[in-house]
Amino acid sequence: MAGVLTATASSVGVCGRLLALPRPLSAKIPICSFLSSSKCYSSMGWNSLQRRTTVLPSRKLVIRAARTESKGVSLGFRAPDFELPEPLTGKVWTLDDFEPYPALLVMFICNHCPFVKHLKKDIVKLSNFYMKKGLAVIAISSNSVTTHPQDGPDFMAEDAKIFNYPFPYLYDESQDVARSFGAVCTPEFFLFKKDGRRPFELVYHGQFDDSRPSNNVPVTGRDLSLAIDRVLSGQPVSSIQKPSVGCSIKWNPELKI
């Protein structure tokens, strides 16, 4: 179960929810409970009825993490068609572009999520390594820019440059592609294999590894790497898979889910 932190604040913007005491805030503001930077500060004021400066009592906030696990997608699931733009280049990518490859890794990520930030550099290393061995890789951001403008296309392009993504980083503005894949969190990994002319079939839908931003476990990419190794060598992938854990996908409040 996610931990509960107490902080003093007025507003923050990562992933999760803020509840103000003694009464709850009406707005839902994202944050992650494990961030050391999640401390905020109340203001100091002047009481005109007194002759001295008084520090006003700080408001107490209870911070609850919004941790979500990947689930609900069965192995053997066929990769759905998509047509998505890449903000960095303007190119539009489809599933057919990856037809010649023996395997396809689809990652749902975003810019702001601490779970993604924790793995970004290692995701790039893993992708570079396996793309040389024939793996096709794409990343998709489906977060609502209404609630999280920092995940919008301009910032996606900037992120792709900063981290030198070797894979296309695609923008799912309508969020239809996330729904068609059954994606619910970031990061979330879908590894598909392809036998000849048959459609891509899901063989792995699990975690990168056991590392989380708060548990001090080194990032290795062990779970995902093992699955990719087996796919590229023509061996079956174990059906025993630990789910990926991350921030929930931020659905557009203006759209019906």
Side-chain angles (χ1 to χ4, degrees):
M1 178 178 294
V4 177
L5 303 179
T6 300
T8 56
S10 56
S11 64
V12 196
V14 211
C15 67
R17 292 183 179 178
L18 300 184
L19 299 178
L21 298 179
R23 63 177 184 179
L25 293 171
S26 59
K28 296 180 180 179
I29 308 175
I31 191 167
C32 284
S33 65
F34 51 79
L35 285 179
S36 60
S37 60
S38 61
K39 296 180 181 178
C40 304
Y41 302 90
S42 61
S43 60
M44 297 179 61
W46 171 262
N47 188 336
S48 61
L49 298 180
Q50 297 179 348
R51 293 184 178 181
R52 57 193 178 92
T53 301
T54 302
V55 178
L56 298 178
S58 59
R59 299 175 65 193
K60 292 289 185 179
L61 299 180
V62 176
I63 303 172
R64 289 187 172 88
R67 295 164 64 102
T68 302
E69 290 187 355
S70 60
K71 57 185 178 180
V73 180
S74 301
L75 299 180
F77 166 74
R78 292 184 176 182
D81 291 327
F82 59 83
E83 185 175 329
L84 294 174
E86 180 183 10
L88 180 62
T89 64
K91 179 179 177 178
V92 175
W93 294 80
T94 69
L95 182 63
D96 290 340
D97 291 321
F98 305 98
E99 186 72 18
Y101 294 86
L104 170 65
L105 175 62
V106 179
M107 306 178 291
F108 284 85
I109 65 173
C110 66
N111 295 348
H112 88 274
C113 174
F115 289 88
V116 176
K117 288 182 175 181
H118 180 65
L119 300 177
K120 275 184 184 179
K121 291 182 180 179
D122 292 276
I123 285 174
V124 170
K125 290 179 183 177
L126 180 144
S127 298
N128 275 320
F129 180 80
Y130 284 108
M131 287 173 72
K132 294 175 182 177
K133 294 179 177 291
L135 177 70
V137 182
I138 62 170
I140 299 173
S141 178
S142 300
N143 276 0
S144 168
V145 295
T146 300
T147 59
H148 290 72
Q150 66 269 47
D151 289 335
D154 290 341
F155 294 103
M156 288 175 61
E158 182 178 345
D159 216 49
K161 287 181 180 178
I162 291 173
F163 289 92
N164 197 24
Y165 286 168
F167 46 77
Y169 187 20
L170 311 181
Y171 180 42
D172 178 24
E173 182 177 13
S174 69
Q175 303 185 317
D176 289 341
V177 174
R179 292 190 186 90
S180 66
F181 274 82
V184 295
C185 65
T186 57
E188 187 163 356
F189 304 95
F190 296 79
L191 177 62
F192 298 89
K193 75 170 184 178
K194 193 173 188 303
D195 292 327
R197 302 180 68 178
R198 297 180 62 186
F200 282 110
E201 293 184 357
L202 184 68
V203 293
Y204 183 79
H205 182 224
Q207 64 178 9
F208 194 76
D209 57 27
D210 288 324
S211 184
R212 305 288 183 264
S214 58
N215 67 5
N216 296 319
V217 174
V219 179
T220 63
R222 181 182 182 279
D223 296 57
L224 182 56
S225 294
L226 180 59
I228 296 172
D229 283 334
R230 297 189 72 85
V231 169
L232 294 181
S233 62
Q235 301 178 63
V237 177
S238 172
S239 60
I240 301 175
Q241 303 171 6
K242 295 180 182 180
S244 184
V245 176
C247 301
S248 61
I249 287 180
K250 305 304 184 266
W251 302 106
N252 191 335
E254 299 174 358
L255 297 177
K256 294 182 179 180
I257 306 301

